[in-house]
Amino acid sequence: MPTPRHLPTTLAFLAGILLTLGFKDIYPDLERRFRRRWRPSASLPAPTSSSAGDVVSLQDRTRSNAENSSSNDDSKGKGEETKEFLWRGNGIGEGIESTIGNTPLIRIKSLSEETGCEILGKAEFLNGAGQSPKDRVALSIVNMAEAQGLLKPYSGDVIYEGTVGSTGISLATLCRAKGYMAHICMPSDQSTEKSSLLLRLGATVERVPPAPIVDPSHFVNRARSLAAAHTASLTLPGRGFFADQFETPANWLAHFSSTGPEIYAQCSGHLDAFVAGAGTGGTITGVAKFLKSKLPDVKIVLADPDGSGLYNRVKYGVMFDAKEREGTRRRQQVDTIVEGIGVNRVTANFEEGREMVEDAYKVSDEEAMLMGRWLVEKDGIFVGSSSAVNCVAATKLARELGPGHRIVTILCDSGTRHLSKFWAKAGEIGGETDMNFLDVVGEKA
């Protein structure tokens, strides 16, 4: 018999035993309830990134199925609501592909304040595979080829592409993720950061001397011939697939089905103009075709760097640069430090949407470098040469339209891809804080 001194200890011991026995009986039921509440629905289809032809629908997926499903769904027991996970955010994505798309649209504060317009940048450098808008294109190309039976994962198939870098980086990343190898041909005058990164992503890289498109040794033609030779080989495993980013409709369809709808939704359907450069032409065409379908009066404007003939194609209907005469197509594009946009030939992707491009601005290397420095100094935005060109053109358009307009442009990739070329010439920012906006837009204070 416990003494009065030991009675509290004894009672606590007995209570602990009773609590343990009781919890043992009710725990399985609690566990079942917990798992039932938080387990994703087995009927939920596996998340897939936007593919060509599927227009993106931006939905609130943070609510339970009980809120989103129709009331006649009696297949679940009472209280058995399942949680549908947000595709990007508080859910789980299916591989690196799930990080592509739904990039932020940000207000570029300094340019907006200086012009009186709202200048917005679509932060495509935040795509998670290759960190550029080419992630969308690469995924669209691979998905379309798989759907057509032209690619089979883990079969030895190799994807060949001619690119100045960004598409190759996106393809190299996705090839490894989806069971292929990548073989990239690129001009030898492109920044070394890109070829170094491609090698570290497991791609085979060929740097070829710059040449006009009619030359068989041009980087695009080289990739095409290698793909054909691979497919015809009796000794190489798998097949060779030529991605053909300049001509394939998978390019502009990627932006029609994702980038365009995202911009429209993020702007709540209110924007006055879209400005972008063109290399393949897929971005400006795909976005233009979608926006025009929703906003017929939206203005589509091309940003074109030195040496490119697209400015003249839009303004005057001819495809040549001022430094060459029409028909001399054997010449290589004139020197410019801008990479990724600007060509001297007609591509299927650009021609698909050319009639929707209403105006164009020519942007010099000097203007691009000043804009690159301005964005770092005033906004902390460190981007590459093509993004700087886009921002120059957007600023020129804003000053022409006047205050009160909303203009969207593309921030393509990070300045870290352009250190050895564009930023080597643009120079270090250091502690500078005194840039003058009029100098950036080509006017003297």
Side-chain angles (χ1 to χ4, degrees):
M1 178 108 184
T3 64
R5 185 168 60 88
H6 294 104
L7 185 60
T9 303
T10 303
L11 291 175
F13 177 72
L14 291 173
I17 292 174
L18 292 173
L19 182 62
T20 300
L21 291 173
F23 186 73
K24 177 177 177 293
D25 292 332
I26 67 171
Y27 174 76
D29 184 60
L30 289 173
E31 182 181 30
R32 280 193 298 272
R33 288 173 179 271
F34 179 82
R35 290 182 181 277
R36 203 161 49 224
R37 181 176 179 84
W38 293 107
R39 182 175 61 244
S41 170
S43 64
L44 185 67
T48 56
S49 296
S50 304
S51 58
D54 298 325
V55 175
V56 168
S57 176
L58 301 179
Q59 303 175 7
D60 178 8
R61 294 183 178 272
T62 60
R63 297 178 297 167
S64 65
N65 281 349
E67 294 172 275
N68 289 327
S69 301
S70 59
S71 58
N72 62 357
D73 184 5
D74 298 323
S75 61
K76 301 184 180 70
K78 286 185 178 181
E80 289 190 43
E81 62 176 34
T82 57
K83 188 78 172 178
E84 187 174 353
F85 286 98
L86 187 68
W87 175 227
R88 292 190 67 195
N90 64 346
I92 299 173
E94 187 66 25
I96 194 68
E97 305 96 304
S98 67
T99 66
I100 298 173
N102 294 318
T103 54
L105 185 67
I106 64 173
R107 180 175 181 269
I108 305 176
K109 294 184 290 185
S110 68
L111 299 182
S112 299
E113 291 163 4
E114 290 287 350
T115 61
C117 288
E118 191 172 36
I119 298 182
L120 309 177
K122 182 73 166 153
E124 288 293 277
F125 59 86
L126 293 178
N127 279 301
Q131 291 85 54
S132 82
K134 297 300 185 180
D135 279 2
R136 301 175 189 264
V137 175
L139 186 59
S140 177
I141 289 172
V142 174
N143 285 347
M144 185 177 287
E146 288 178 340
Q148 294 172 351
L150 301 175
L151 284 172
K152 183 178 180 180
Y154 305 103
S155 65
D157 287 355
V158 177
I159 298 177
Y160 294 83
E161 181 60 312
T163 167
V164 296
S166 292
T167 304
I169 292 167
S170 296
L171 278 172
T173 304
L174 291 172
C175 279
R176 288 292 178 162
K178 293 175 71 67
Y180 307 104
M181 300 296 289
H183 189 121
I184 305 300
C185 300
M186 62 186 302
S188 58
D189 62 351
Q190 300 301 294
S191 61
T192 56
E193 293 92 333
K194 294 179 181 178
S195 57
S196 296
L197 180 55
L198 282 165
L199 290 169
R200 284 155 181 79
L201 289 171
T204 298
V205 181
E206 284 190 44
R207 292 178 66 94
V208 301
I213 188 62
V214 295
D215 192 322
S217 66
H218 184 276
F219 64 98
V220 172
N221 297 332
R222 173 67 175 161
R224 181 187 291 108
S225 63
L226 287 172
H230 184 148
T231 300
S233 173
L234 299 177
T235 57
L236 292 174
R239 294 167 293 182
F241 173 75
F242 177 49
D244 200 16
Q245 61 166 324
F246 288 89
E247 310 302 326
T248 176
N251 186 335
W252 70 263
L253 282 168
H255 297 290
F256 177 82
S257 64
S258 63
T259 319
E262 288 171 25
I263 290 171
Y264 181 78
Q266 288 166 324
C267 289
S268 300
H270 301 295
L271 67 154
D272 298 292
F274 175 71
V275 179
T280 64
T283 302
I284 196 168
T285 289
V287 174
K289 286 173 81 72
F290 182 85
L291 292 181
K292 283 285 190 180
S293 71
K294 300 291 186 180
L295 302 167
D297 294 330
V298 70
K299 192 175 182 69
I300 308 298
V301 178
L302 173 74
D304 208 35
D306 277 344
S308 173
L310 295 179
Y311 172 86
N312 284 322
R313 183 68 168 169
V314 171
K315 298 288 280 188
Y316 310 115
V318 293
M319 185 64 194
F320 67 98
D321 182 74
K323 300 179 179 63
E324 64 181 351
R325 61 186 174 80
E326 179 74 351
T328 58
R329 201 60 65 232
R330 292 200 64 86
R331 69 180 306 283
Q332 171 62 10
Q333 178 174 315
V334 297
D335 289 338
T336 177
I337 60 173
V338 175
E339 297 179 356
I341 57 174
V343 292
N344 269 330
R345 62 187 177 93
V346 174
T347 67
N349 276 281
F350 185 76
E351 286 301 293
E352 178 70 27
R354 181 173 65 88
E355 294 301 320
M356 297 182 179
V357 182
E358 302 162 52
D359 204 356
Y361 290 101
K362 178 65 74 174
V363 178
S364 69
D365 286 354
E366 181 64 24
E367 289 174 316
M369 288 189 290
L370 286 171
M371 179 58 74
R373 294 175 63 87
W374 172 272
L375 291 173
V376 172
E377 182 180 310
K378 305 300 182 183
D379 297 277
I381 298 174
F382 184 52
V383 288
S385 55
S386 56
S387 303
V389 168
N390 286 343
C391 288
V392 170
T395 302
K396 289 182 176 183
L397 177 62
R399 288 167 64 80
E400 181 179 308
L401 293 178
H405 294 85
R406 175 180 281 176
I407 300 167
V408 175
T409 192
I410 301 290
L411 302 178
C412 306
D413 59 3
S414 168
T416 57
R417 297 266 176 89
H418 302 260
L419 293 175
S420 66
K421 191 173 181 181
F422 177 76
W423 277 102
K425 291 190 176 182
E428 298 178 356
I429 305 300
E432 291 185 16
T433 59
D434 59 353
M435 286 189 73
N436 188 295
F437 181 71
L438 294 179
D439 292 334
V440 176
V441 296
E443 299 178 15
K444 297 301 180 182

